[in-house]
Amino acid sequence: MTFRMEADGLEWLFNPLHQIVSWGASGAMVFGGVVPYIPQYRDIKRTQNAEGFSTYVCLVLLVANILRILFWFGRHFESPLLWQSIVMIFTMLLMLKLCTEVRVTNELNLKRRSFADFDLHYFWHWSKFTDYVQCVLAFTGVTGYITYLSLDSALFVETLGFLAVFTEAMLGVPQLYRNYQNRSTEGMSIKMVLMWTSGDTFKTVYFILNQAPFQFSICGLLQVLVDMAILLQVYLYTYYPQKPASHAAHPVSAKAL
């Protein structure tokens, strides 16, 4: 009888603790992905210079998270993952707004380009933030309509989910290739890579423990491998340099090129 009372007492203690930990993990999942962009945003705002951040990062993350939200309509997954996508979309739109304003301000002679020009040579290099919004809305409308027509197809839904997470998983590949071409990681922020690695590791563990769709876990592991490969490049090119180091370097985001 005493043992049972002690067990009930422990259960009364651990249940709220488990709930708090669960809420904390969900909160970290929702907002953790945008944390690395906060110092990047503040730096651009302070210096009025957006050259160190590629807006193609915003493009990749917008596409990936829009597709993930559409995937949710075909196969529901954890709510924190859905909210993570919504928060990331708003974050990338804020980054785009700031970068566009700074670029236009610094380049007074910049010829105005718009989404309505339909000029592939200047795709994602437009002069107004509203052009990016129009592009995002057009992409969402087209893919949303196709998804609506194809929700009954399990193959389409699973492919959509794979494309969403695979697109995001490939975010670090351009930086990996750039380091390989330059035989150096000079100019790349190691702190940013470490933040991405820890965040991607946490995210992948979260996917596995919460039994998220298999696409999430596989691409999460792939994302961690890409991050680890970049860190390996840091080690190799630091201790086994393959070209003379230059003195002028600006730290930029590891996934911003």
Side-chain angles (χ1 to χ4, degrees), residues 101-195:
E101 291 173 351
V102 169
R103 187 180 74 248
V104 171
T105 301
N106 292 340
E107 300 180 14
L108 298 177
N109 296 324
L110 181 69
K111 184 177 179 180
R112 301 305 181 196
R113 302 288 180 179
S114 69
F115 171 65
D117 293 337
F118 298 109
D119 188 342
L120 291 179
H121 292 289
Y122 294 96
F123 177 78
W124 213 249
H125 291 287
W126 302 308
S127 305
K128 293 182 179 179
F129 172 66
T130 52
D131 292 305
Y132 294 94
V133 175
Q134 290 173 14
C135 180
V136 170
L137 291 176
F139 175 78
T140 304
V142 172
T143 53
Y145 182 68
I146 295 173
T147 301
Y148 174 75
L149 295 178
S150 308
L151 278 179
D152 293 335
S153 171
L155 177 61
F156 174 84
V157 171
E158 295 301 327
T159 302
L160 183 66
F162 178 78
L163 288 176
V165 289
F166 183 75
T167 301
E168 185 177 355
M170 292 294 99
L171 193 59
V173 171
Q175 181 65 53
L176 186 72
Y177 182 66
R178 179 179 180 274
N179 294 341
Y180 172 76
Q181 281 186 315
N182 295 339
R183 298 295 193 273
S184 171
T185 57
E186 195 172 10
M188 182 189 71
S189 172
I190 299 175
K191 290 182 180 179
M192 185 66 71
V193 182
L194 290 172
M195 290 178 69

